[in-house]
Amino acid sequence: MTVPDLGLVEFTRSDDVAQDAPLVVLGPALGTSVTHLYALLAPRLAARFHVVGWDLPGHGVSAPANEFTMAELAEGVERAVTGRLGAGAWHAVGTSIGGAVVQEQLAAGSERVASATLVATTDWFPDPAGWAERAELVASAGTPTQVIGCAKAWFGGDFLGAHSEAATPLLHDLQGTDRFSYAAACRALGGYDLRAATRPTEVPCAVVAGTEDAMTGPDVARRLADGLGARCEIADAAAHLVPVEAPELLERVVTDLVTAAG
């Protein structure tokens, strides 16, 4: 088993919230850093919760890794959070591949997940051959090959032009991501399929999608929510990177789930 060594980002200073404040752990999307993806949401949560985030291998503050599965990535998250924070359980928020990691934890019956906010994600990303092709392209030519396509998929409407201060750092993240780690993540997504394991969970759970997300939009979100017995929330005019485009909605959802978990 090759468990990647993941870096953590602290969004909350030790004197900002009570020592016993609930822990919220944020997980990123492919090609993004957790710092920039949650730059608008984390401060909203950090007023009440202890907020940290993890980065994918070769992204943000995490060391590169050339090969890993989704299950190994989920194990890496648990090792990073428990090993460095001594946490028993936390409220997990994951976008896209980050949401897939949370689903891996739920499917494995992990006791670490106190609540789950699954954003722009699914229990199976279609077209495994397409993920393999993307992995090969990025490994040979680099992540700049993905910038144009991701700019279109990540942001709805004119968000990129109107909010360049929030969107541009994410595109810079993509360009600076280690190409071999990105390729490894693509291969992990190509081998990810939890459809047979998706069933109602007792963990408070919500699925969130943007109306303009072409890959994991409202229909996909509703199907996943039905399978998990979870609530479903739709962000108007948002595309794939919902935390950037609808932080207010996500703040409400996460807060509701923390309350529901007791």
Side-chain angles (χ1 to χ4, degrees), residues 76-102:
V77 172
E78 295 204 359
R79 287 190 186 184
V81 178
T82 58
R84 294 168 212 177
L85 299 179
W90 53 84
H91 302 275
V93 182
T95 299
S96 196
I97 189 173
V101 166
V102 179

Side-chain angles (χ1 to χ4, degrees), residues 1-206:
M1 187 175 188
T2 307
V3 178
D5 183 18
L6 303 179
L8 293 182
V9 174
E10 287 267 5
F11 290 100
T12 310
R13 295 179 304 182
S14 59
D15 57 348
D16 282 343
V17 294
Q19 274 193 324
D20 60 350
L23 175 62
V24 174
V25 177
L26 308 175
L30 179 62
T32 74
S33 72
V34 73
T35 299
H36 290 141
L37 180 60
Y38 293 100
L40 300 178
L41 175 62
R44 293 173 172 271
L45 298 174
R48 285 162 289 176
F49 310 127
H50 181 191
V51 183
V52 302
W54 56 271
D55 274 316
L56 289 162
H59 297 57
V61 300
S62 287
N66 290 339
E67 205 65 46
F68 50 86
T69 65
M70 293 299 299
E72 290 165 347
L73 190 55
E75 177 64 21
V77 172
E78 295 204 359
R79 287 190 186 184
V81 178
T82 58
R84 294 168 212 177
L85 299 179
W90 53 84
H91 302 275
V93 182
T95 299
S96 196
I97 189 173
V101 166
V102 179
Q103 290 175 77
E104 285 278 0
Q105 294 168 312
L106 291 174
S110 174
E111 296 181 354
R112 304 296 186 185
V113 181
S115 75
T117 304
L118 307 174
V119 185
T121 194
T122 177
D123 52 8
W124 176 67
F125 290 89
D127 191 16
W131 288 107
E133 291 172 3
R134 187 192 293 196
E136 185 176 349
L137 173 62
V138 171
S140 62
T143 53
T145 59
Q146 303 302 302
V147 170
I148 294 176
C150 286
K152 294 178 180 178
W154 283 357
F155 310 111
D158 62 350
F159 186 87
L160 179 57
H163 301 280
S164 60
E165 76 289 347
T168 301
L170 288 157
L171 296 174
H172 288 164
D173 285 342
L174 176 58
Q175 289 182 298
T177 295
D178 175 66
R179 59 178 173 162
F180 299 111
S181 300
Y182 187 104
C186 289
R187 289 190 292 272
L189 286 169
Y192 166 78
D193 187 350
L194 289 182
R195 288 175 292 180
T198 299
R199 56 181 58 90
T201 175
E202 295 182 359
V203 174
C205 184

Side-chain angles (χ1 to χ4, degrees), residues 202-218:
E202 295 182 359
V203 174
C205 184
V207 181
V208 184
T211 56
E212 296 189 30
D213 189 341
M215 180 168 59
T216 54

